[in-house]
Amino acid sequence: MKQRTIAKAVEIVGIGLHKGVPVKMRLEPLEANQGIIFYRSDEALTIPLKIENVVDTKMATVIGKDGIVISTIEHLLSAVYAYGIDNLRVVLDNDEVPVLDGSSSGYCMLIDEVGIKELSESKKVIKIKKEVEVRTEDGKRVSLKPSNHIVYDFSIDFENPVIGQQNYHFDYSIDEYKENISKARTFGFLHEVQYLRSIGLAQGGSMENAIVVDDDKILNPEGLRYENEFVRHKILDAIGDMSLLGYTLIGEYDAHAGSHHLNHLLTKKVYESEENYEILDLDEAQKESYVFQKAYALVDAN
């Protein structure tokens, strides 16, 4: 199986979640072995997607270099990662990726519109060989476990009656991602939104790009897209955060009450020991190559 990029460039303008200002974003194809690269056109600065470039994980995954940052990258990366795109240049004229509708479905539509191009170099993946876990004292945890498949298991437990306990098991394929994960929107509580705005954040947040929960009700007039949309969005975020590994994952991600911060610690911990992983060339790994061919079968390379 070969590396992938997009077949041609595409450009959109959207609103940044926190500053609430328009952001122009252009996705450009790259040649093999270039990876995912962000470029701030207003600052003339390139920031490669690497674990060491993560500078903040409180409200979103933020990368930066020389004091210049790019925020809220996880929804875009979730779609890029889900489509198996290995090489891509993301050009932005501000410090946030457009939030669109709070999910990654808009990015899936962009990729479908321009198409996928297969390159001449073979695709490389990271296969988990040994379980790696990050756990907090209050019971939150994230882990990666060995598997010949791509699996995401996530559970959440909120005291709020609208959310409560939810769990979801996701066996990866592009088709399943588009149907069951990509449409799940980010969410927040009304009191949190009010606080964030008071400190200059979430200026672009609205019920057009997030689920807003107030005590025992959802304020969005259209309601939920899925009964368990909250936990599905957590998987969407996790897929985007795992893109920081630098290669498409073969393994099982399992989490309870995971977060961007724990996901970042998990990707760092994987690389602490070569016993935890191996990098495979899919042209040489027959069994894993079959798994990927099946998972990506519903996207035609142009």
Side-chain angles (χ1 to χ4, degrees), residues 237-251:
D237 279 346
I239 293 171
D241 287 343
M242 289 305 103
S243 69
L244 270 297
L245 289 168
Y247 304 93
T248 302
L249 171 71
I250 298 179

Side-chain angles (χ1 to χ4, degrees), residues 194-211:
Q194 293 168 336
Y195 168 72
L196 289 171
R197 287 183 173 172
S198 74
I199 60 173
L201 298 175
Q203 301 300 310
S206 72
M207 285 184 284
E208 294 182 355
N209 53 41
I211 305 167

